[in-house]
Amino acid sequence: MSRSGACSAGAIGVPAYASGLDIGLTDDELAAVYQVYAQYGLRAAKIKGGLDIESDRRRLTLVRDVLTAAGHGARPGLMLDVNEAWTRKQAVRHVGELERTLDLTWIEEPVRRWDAEGLATVGRGIRASVATGENLTGLEQFRPLLAAGAVDIVQTAVVWGVTHFLRVSALAHAHDLPVSPIGATPVALLHAATSVPNHLASELQDLQPPLGLSLDLHVEDGTFVLGDSPGLGITIDEQAINAFRRPAYRAAEGPHIRPEHAGRRLLPVANRSSPTRSPR
């Protein structure tokens, strides 16, 4: 996705926020990533965390300062994604402590995705909005959360498709709630987002498209700018994909996987969510 070039007449833009699987980055690496995002006009960011309060505070503050400087003092949006890592009490305590010094726009998946009562409890105990929904499928999974007032930002994942996104958006709109698509490059949902009245912002996880794909869009002034190619504007290079040597399979791991001992940790996790700070 290129930053260069002026928007063509009638080009359609979709608001974006910066994100990434950044929990393993050092402080300097994290700052460098968001400095690049800032050059593309991104002024809202979501980072991974949830295992250590002081690590989260330090890294959220670092990203805040990078985006504030790029925005000439304007306060950026800050979000934290913990991938269901907490119990209800842990969530309220962790976020409440962060909120002593930070203004969080939302906390994402603080407890289990289906825990309507728990999500509502967390929402009542903190100032930040509660975001969830990327791992839900049918509308029947969203209904109890909306009925309980358990979600403030309704999310959908790319994998469930355009029809699912439109259905969820309509349901959320009926409850006066915004929707926010999740995904590295949610191209199809970007096009669909232009047709719903309650779209808030779409996640941008990488400024480069996946291997073997070229996309008719670019990022400018914090916005996905959609091109006018037929369909979704995706061109597939099968030769590049077939030439890629896939690594050997290993069990799924990473910050997008719910920790094995989520909700059953007495002390912060050392040497996992808190990379060694690079010398300055």
Side-chain angles (χ1 to χ4, degrees), residues 51-53 85-87 90 93-94 261-270:
L51 300 179
D52 179 81
I53 292 173
W86 298 325
T87 65
Q90 287 174 332
R93 181 167 59 89
H94 195 119
H261 298 292
R264 301 193 305 277
R265 289 187 300 269
L266 183 61
L267 300 174
V269 177

Side-chain angles (χ1 to χ4, degrees), residues 194-209:
T194 65
S195 69
V196 301
N198 53 332
H199 174 262
L200 177 64
S202 290
E203 183 179 36
L204 170 61
Q205 282 191 347
D206 198 333
L207 288 162
Q208 300 300 319

Side-chain angles (χ1 to χ4, degrees), residues 144-166:
L145 272 63
L146 297 176
V151 55
D152 304 299
I153 311 294
V154 181
Q155 298 174 310
T156 69
V158 180
V159 67
W160 307 118
V162 170
T163 301
H164 175 71
F165 169 74
L166 294 176

Side-chain angles (χ1 to χ4, degrees), residues 14-17 37 40-43 219-224:
V14 179
Y17 70 87
Y37 276 134
Y40 286 80
L42 277 301
R43 296 294 180 266
V219 178
E220 180 180 326
D221 295 331
T223 300
F224 291 100

Side-chain angles (χ1 to χ4, degrees), residues 2-224:
S2 171
R3 177 162 52 105
S4 61
C7 296
S8 60
I12 298 176
V14 179
Y17 70 87
S19 180
L21 300 179
D22 48 35
I23 200 168
L25 301 181
T26 65
D27 288 2
D28 284 348
E29 291 168 340
L30 185 69
V33 166
Y34 283 93
Q35 284 166 355
V36 174
Y37 276 134
Q39 294 172 12
Y40 286 80
L42 277 301
R43 296 294 180 266
K46 182 179 75 183
I47 71 169
K48 295 286 187 180
L51 300 179
D52 179 81
I53 292 173
E54 293 311 318
S55 173
D56 289 346
R57 189 195 311 279
R58 187 183 74 250
R59 291 163 73 80
L60 284 163
T61 300
L62 185 155
V63 172
R64 181 198 65 188
D65 292 348
V66 167
L67 297 184
T68 298
H72 305 290
R75 186 174 66 182
L78 293 176
M79 295 83 85
L80 181 66
D81 183 4
V82 303
N83 292 105
E84 306 178 299
W86 298 325
T87 65
R88 304 172 188 184
K89 291 286 189 178
Q90 287 174 332
V92 172
R93 181 167 59 89
H94 195 119
V95 177
E97 177 62 25
L98 292 177
E99 288 182 327
R100 290 196 307 108
T101 55
L102 292 164
D103 182 21
L104 293 180
T105 302
W106 78 58
I107 182 71
E108 189 166 316
E109 289 191 330
V111 295
R112 296 314 301 264
R113 65 196 71 170
W114 53 75
D115 185 3
E117 182 182 352
L119 289 165
T121 299
V122 173
R124 289 191 295 268
I126 63 177
R127 298 198 310 268
S129 294
V130 171
T132 192
E134 67 172 300
N135 288 304
L136 304 180
T137 54
L139 294 183
E140 70 279 359
Q141 294 188 9
F142 285 85
R143 182 173 57 82
L145 272 63
L146 297 176
V151 55
D152 304 299
I153 311 294
V154 181
Q155 298 174 310
T156 69
V158 180
V159 67
W160 307 118
V162 170
T163 301
H164 175 71
F165 169 74
L166 294 176
R167 288 172 175 167
V168 172
S169 297
L171 181 64
H173 188 49
H175 287 78
D176 293 321
L177 294 174
V179 290
S180 180
I182 290 289
T185 311
V187 182
L189 298 193
L190 292 178
H191 287 262
T194 65
S195 69
V196 301
N198 53 332
H199 174 262
L200 177 64
S202 290
E203 183 179 36
L204 170 61
Q205 282 191 347
D206 198 333
L207 288 162
Q208 300 300 319
L211 175 72
L213 298 184
S214 61
L215 312 177
D216 186 16
L217 64 85
H218 65 277
V219 178
E220 180 180 326
D221 295 331
T223 300
F224 291 100

